[in-house]
Amino acid sequence: MTEQARESNRQWRLKSRPVGMVKESDFEQVSETVPDVGEGQFLVRNLFFAFEPAMRGWLNDVKSYVPPVGLGEVMRATCVGQVVESRHPDFREGELVSGVFGWQDYTLSDGQDAILRRPVVKVPAGVPPERTLGALGSTGLTAYFGMLDIGEVKAGDAVLVSGAAGATGSVAGQIARIKGASKVVGIAGGPQKCAWLVDELGFDAAIDYRKENVNARLKELFPKGIDLFFDNVGGNILDDALLNMAQFARVVICGGIAAYNEMELPPGPRNYMQIVIRRLTVRGFILIDHMQEADRARQQLAAWLASGELRGREDIQEGFENAPRTFLRLFRGENIGKQLLKVAEPPLPVVS
Amino acid sequence: MTEQARESNRQWRLKSRPVGMVKESDFEQVSETVPDVGEGQFLVRNLFFAFEPAMRGWLNDVKSYVPPVGLGEVMRATCVGQVVESRHPDFREGELVSGVFGWQDYTLSDGQDAILRRPVVKVPAGVPPERTLGALGSTGLTAYFGMLDIGEVKAGDAVLVSGAAGATGSVAGQIARIKGASKVVGIAGGPQKCAWLVDELGFDAAIDYRKENVNARLKELFPKGIDLFFDNVGGNILDDALLNMAQFARVVICGGIAAYNEMELPPGPRNYMQIVIRRLTVRGFILIDHMQEADRARQQLAAWLASGELRGREDIQEGFENAPRTFLRLFRGENIGKQLLKVAEPPLPVVS
């Protein structure tokens, strides 16, 4: 690559810790020289950034399952990119790869991400790179393990998914359908999302939480109660679901986007004593604990995608300068399916 | 029995549904004629009433795991009494029996309780009748199934119990100790309760939530996190515990006395997202689902009591007229161990 290109590695860095709703001004754009590639390293040109609600949690200075993003550090994000220079035996120039490369044009890698030491993954031949970040990426895997290993969905279950038009929820609901759930209902915001769930993804029904009385609709749709609730949202939706669970039912807590941007932790589920009254099992999980099974899961997801049983959808915005703005789309409920930002075309011919 | 005695069956009936904290005036005392004993029935003279926080829930007009006590109905309660007249083949005059007989002098029974159709149980020979309501009664059984079947306590677990000086908590903590927990800590209110837990029941430590910073003490006592939390309280104590759970730990929700007398449901656990962050499993349960195993459990509890590994304690008030007042002791945290009210001596020689 030319010296000129090396001089312009644009980055979005965390400028200030968000207080309440994350703002574009919490990030600042800077330019750095592209780093030199040392022995055992390779340089990635990032093509797509992926966005997930959990990234909001990484911005808080609290102990959690991963360390927070430091002030002044490049914003952490999973990306797909192309290897443009390599001194690593396992990675060749032109290959497409996925990893935690961050909001920047170029990332130097040794084959593992710097935070969790997870391996950089190659995009399989024939798979659109954006799909690697969606149904085959961390949100698809989260749906897979959450619905199957944690929720233990089985044929005949009446299943509810919140955040159902999001990247995780949309895959989770479809997996429940594939596994023979007797009913799959999604909760989402707005008629467009609800129509997509029912008309294209095969959900049995969708509840528009912005317009409908969720509790009343749940009573109507689940006269015998919900056997499995896969929750991405929390807040009032969790409370309404708790009032409509079947006895001995399961709740998978995957996320709680309703509270991610609150300045102070909002009250928890008022109806949590339903856990006792209805003898519920409530389980939380995080994808990183399941990565040893990720290959198996990706193969299954890819097979379902190939057969048409599972549909992926990406919401692709464009332009490096729009990274913070695109992140905010998640919290405004603007995305349908996986939120991505396309930042470049592959500079080299793709090899695999 | 004489006609005169039959004419004086005192009862405490539910007069009004409590709003907020239950009051003595929510009950009214009336007198009824003692009913005639029909074929297949027997008459019980009640000797002890047992009190449990869950009884507060039965006073609310909401759908739950048991129907509410109706206005004008005798207050529902588990009791020990003596069979004083019998036309039932399995029950003889003079036998001591336990069942859901309610706050009244005399109860007519057909051998099952009227609400849940659970069998009336005979007090085993040699067992003090009050113990049948305590460590061998519903609270002891609740501790047993909650700690073993739901919490799956195992050797080496670091265990926390809230409401630890109550009837259920005190037995739950001792079972954890018997099963080889590496540490058993109880949370209770006041120095007398805390001293009892440590000095007499063998808890490793006790936290006085009225005087101590629970979160700080938990951090100190559980540097590697809590493996199993058995919660009877909810509220701030649950929130503090959630911040101190080990990864992949278990929370058993047995009750939530902190909220039972609130006029409106208070906020739930603010820190519930720790379920995700720490990958917790939270389970609720109710004793009635485990009654087919009750005999086995009672035998084990009786064996532990006999060997001295388990200690029971009853807090015995006296006098029929004090039933509502004694009930209130639970919510003021006045009882240590099982709250009972003695209402009579056995009128007949005890046979077994």
Side-chain angles (χ1 to χ4, degrees), chain B residues 291-307:
Chain B
M291 291 311 287
Q292 72 285 0
E293 297 289 325
D295 283 343
R296 169 177 66 81
R298 273 196 212 94
Q299 283 166 21
Q300 178 63 79
L301 289 162
W304 284 331
L305 285 166
S307 71

mmCIF file of all heavy atoms in Angstrom, chain B residues 291-307:
data_model
loop_
_atom_site.group_PDB
_atom_site.id
_atom_site.type_symbol
_atom_site.label_atom_id
_atom_site.label_comp_id
_atom_site.label_asym_id
_atom_site.label_seq_id
_atom_site.Cartn_x
_atom_site.Cartn_y
_atom_site.Cartn_z
ATOM 1 N N MET B 291 -45.162 -31.569 47.312
ATOM 2 C CA MET B 291 -45.752 -32.303 48.431
ATOM 3 C C MET B 291 -45.690 -33.821 48.265
ATOM 4 O O MET B 291 -45.738 -34.549 49.247
ATOM 5 C CB MET B 291 -47.185 -31.825 48.690
ATOM 6 C CG MET B 291 -47.254 -30.388 49.245
ATOM 7 S SD MET B 291 -46.150 -30.040 50.659
ATOM 8 C CE MET B 291 -47.023 -30.950 51.951
ATOM 9 N N GLN B 292 -45.556 -34.301 47.034
ATOM 10 C CA GLN B 292 -45.432 -35.755 46.861
ATOM 11 C C GLN B 292 -44.122 -36.267 47.465
ATOM 12 O O GLN B 292 -43.978 -37.455 47.730
ATOM 13 C CB GLN B 292 -45.561 -36.154 45.379
ATOM 14 C CG GLN B 292 -44.400 -35.795 44.465
ATOM 15 C CD GLN B 292 -44.343 -34.299 44.111
ATOM 16 O OE1 GLN B 292 -45.192 -33.514 44.552
ATOM 17 N NE2 GLN B 292 -43.350 -33.906 43.343
ATOM 18 N N GLU B 293 -43.184 -35.367 47.703
ATOM 19 C CA GLU B 293 -41.907 -35.729 48.314
ATOM 20 C C GLU B 293 -41.861 -35.340 49.790
ATOM 21 O O GLU B 293 -40.798 -35.409 50.426
ATOM 22 C CB GLU B 293 -40.759 -35.010 47.591
ATOM 23 C CG GLU B 293 -40.597 -35.397 46.137
ATOM 24 C CD GLU B 293 -40.060 -36.815 45.991
ATOM 25 O OE1 GLU B 293 -39.248 -37.222 46.837
ATOM 26 O OE2 GLU B 293 -40.499 -37.513 45.053
ATOM 27 N N ALA B 294 -42.992 -34.901 50.338
ATOM 28 C CA ALA B 294 -42.960 -34.323 51.683
ATOM 29 C C ALA B 294 -42.574 -35.338 52.753
ATOM 30 O O ALA B 294 -41.845 -35.000 53.698
ATOM 31 C CB ALA B 294 -44.322 -33.697 52.010
ATOM 32 N N ASP B 295 -43.019 -36.574 52.601
ATOM 33 C CA ASP B 295 -42.697 -37.571 53.635
ATOM 34 C C ASP B 295 -41.192 -37.798 53.736
ATOM 35 O O ASP B 295 -40.622 -37.805 54.820
ATOM 36 C CB ASP B 295 -43.407 -38.893 53.332
ATOM 37 C CG ASP B 295 -44.882 -38.824 53.696
ATOM 38 O OD1 ASP B 295 -45.262 -37.906 54.463
ATOM 39 O OD2 ASP B 295 -45.644 -39.676 53.212
ATOM 40 N N ARG B 296 -40.584 -37.976 52.592
ATOM 41 C CA ARG B 296 -39.125 -38.144 52.551
ATOM 42 C C ARG B 296 -38.441 -36.933 53.214
ATOM 43 O O ARG B 296 -37.516 -37.084 54.034
ATOM 44 C CB ARG B 296 -38.677 -38.261 51.085
ATOM 45 C CG ARG B 296 -37.182 -38.180 50.867
ATOM 46 C CD ARG B 296 -36.807 -38.368 49.381
ATOM 47 N NE ARG B 296 -37.257 -37.301 48.476
ATOM 48 C CZ ARG B 296 -36.624 -36.128 48.303
ATOM 49 N NH1 ARG B 296 -35.517 -35.859 48.987
ATOM 50 N NH2 ARG B 296 -37.096 -35.234 47.459
ATOM 51 N N ALA B 297 -38.902 -35.745 52.873
ATOM 52 C CA ALA B 297 -38.279 -34.537 53.416
ATOM 53 C C ALA B 297 -38.469 -34.464 54.937
ATOM 54 O O ALA B 297 -37.523 -34.156 55.672
ATOM 55 C CB ALA B 297 -38.883 -33.303 52.744
ATOM 56 N N ARG B 298 -39.687 -34.766 55.397
ATOM 57 C CA ARG B 298 -39.941 -34.710 56.846
ATOM 58 C C ARG B 298 -39.075 -35.710 57.590
ATOM 59 O O ARG B 298 -38.572 -35.426 58.680
ATOM 60 C CB ARG B 298 -41.426 -35.007 57.126
ATOM 61 C CG ARG B 298 -42.312 -33.784 57.067
ATOM 62 C CD ARG B 298 -43.671 -34.036 57.708
ATOM 63 N NE ARG B 298 -44.678 -33.230 57.023
ATOM 64 C CZ ARG B 298 -45.428 -33.664 56.021
ATOM 65 N NH1 ARG B 298 -45.341 -34.915 55.591
ATOM 66 N NH2 ARG B 298 -46.289 -32.842 55.448
ATOM 67 N N GLN B 299 -38.888 -36.888 57.001
ATOM 68 C CA GLN B 299 -38.032 -37.895 57.648
ATOM 69 C C GLN B 299 -36.600 -37.394 57.776
ATOM 70 O O GLN B 299 -35.956 -37.556 58.809
ATOM 71 C CB GLN B 299 -38.051 -39.202 56.850
ATOM 72 C CG GLN B 299 -39.333 -40.011 57.072
ATOM 73 C CD GLN B 299 -39.512 -41.109 56.048
ATOM 74 O OE1 GLN B 299 -38.543 -41.531 55.414
ATOM 75 N NE2 GLN B 299 -40.741 -41.559 55.871
ATOM 76 N N GLN B 300 -36.106 -36.764 56.701
ATOM 77 C CA GLN B 300 -34.738 -36.252 56.745
ATOM 78 C C GLN B 300 -34.611 -35.126 57.759
ATOM 79 O O GLN B 300 -33.659 -35.076 58.549
ATOM 80 C CB GLN B 300 -34.325 -35.786 55.351
ATOM 81 C CG GLN B 300 -32.940 -35.185 55.278
ATOM 82 C CD GLN B 300 -31.851 -36.185 55.630
ATOM 83 O OE1 GLN B 300 -31.469 -37.009 54.819
ATOM 84 N NE2 GLN B 300 -31.351 -36.132 56.867
ATOM 85 N N LEU B 301 -35.582 -34.228 57.758
ATOM 86 C CA LEU B 301 -35.546 -33.107 58.714
ATOM 87 C C LEU B 301 -35.623 -33.639 60.151
ATOM 88 O O LEU B 301 -34.899 -33.169 61.037
ATOM 89 C CB LEU B 301 -36.704 -32.138 58.431
ATOM 90 C CG LEU B 301 -36.575 -31.306 57.148
ATOM 91 C CD1 LEU B 301 -37.931 -30.721 56.743
ATOM 92 C CD2 LEU B 301 -35.545 -30.181 57.320
ATOM 93 N N ALA B 302 -36.482 -34.638 60.363
ATOM 94 C CA ALA B 302 -36.618 -35.211 61.706
ATOM 95 C C ALA B 302 -35.301 -35.866 62.135
ATOM 96 O O ALA B 302 -34.892 -35.770 63.308
ATOM 97 C CB ALA B 302 -37.760 -36.223 61.723
ATOM 98 N N ALA B 303 -34.635 -36.518 61.202
ATOM 99 C CA ALA B 303 -33.360 -37.166 61.530
ATOM 100 C C ALA B 303 -32.307 -36.117 61.889
ATOM 101 O O ALA B 303 -31.542 -36.291 62.851
ATOM 102 C CB ALA B 303 -32.886 -38.012 60.342
ATOM 103 N N TRP B 304 -32.274 -35.030 61.164
ATOM 104 C CA TRP B 304 -31.313 -33.959 61.480
ATOM 105 C C TRP B 304 -31.639 -33.315 62.832
ATOM 106 O O TRP B 304 -30.741 -32.945 63.585
ATOM 107 C CB TRP B 304 -31.320 -32.899 60.379
ATOM 108 C CG TRP B 304 -30.595 -33.301 59.120
ATOM 109 C CD1 TRP B 304 -29.541 -34.160 59.008
ATOM 110 C CD2 TRP B 304 -30.872 -32.831 57.787
ATOM 111 N NE1 TRP B 304 -29.143 -34.264 57.688
ATOM 112 C CE2 TRP B 304 -29.940 -33.449 56.915
ATOM 113 C CE3 TRP B 304 -31.804 -31.949 57.245
ATOM 114 C CZ2 TRP B 304 -29.920 -33.214 55.545
ATOM 115 C CZ3 TRP B 304 -31.782 -31.710 55.869
ATOM 116 C CH2 TRP B 304 -30.849 -32.346 55.029
ATOM 117 N N LEU B 305 -32.932 -33.159 63.104
ATOM 118 C CA LEU B 305 -33.325 -32.613 64.408
ATOM 119 C C LEU B 305 -32.893 -33.564 65.526
ATOM 120 O O LEU B 305 -32.361 -33.142 66.560
ATOM 121 C CB LEU B 305 -34.844 -32.413 64.466
ATOM 122 C CG LEU B 305 -35.418 -31.216 63.698
ATOM 123 C CD1 LEU B 305 -36.936 -31.348 63.570
ATOM 124 C CD2 LEU B 305 -35.050 -29.889 64.379
ATOM 125 N N ALA B 306 -33.101 -34.854 65.305
ATOM 126 C CA ALA B 306 -32.776 -35.847 66.332
ATOM 127 C C ALA B 306 -31.277 -35.886 66.601
ATOM 128 O O ALA B 306 -30.839 -36.033 67.752
ATOM 129 C CB ALA B 306 -33.278 -37.222 65.894
ATOM 130 N N SER B 307 -30.480 -35.733 65.546
ATOM 131 C CA SER B 307 -29.024 -35.802 65.707
ATOM 132 C C SER B 307 -28.453 -34.488 66.241
ATOM 133 O O SER B 307 -27.278 -34.418 66.583
ATOM 134 C CB SER B 307 -28.369 -36.117 64.356
ATOM 135 O OG SER B 307 -28.468 -34.988 63.501
#
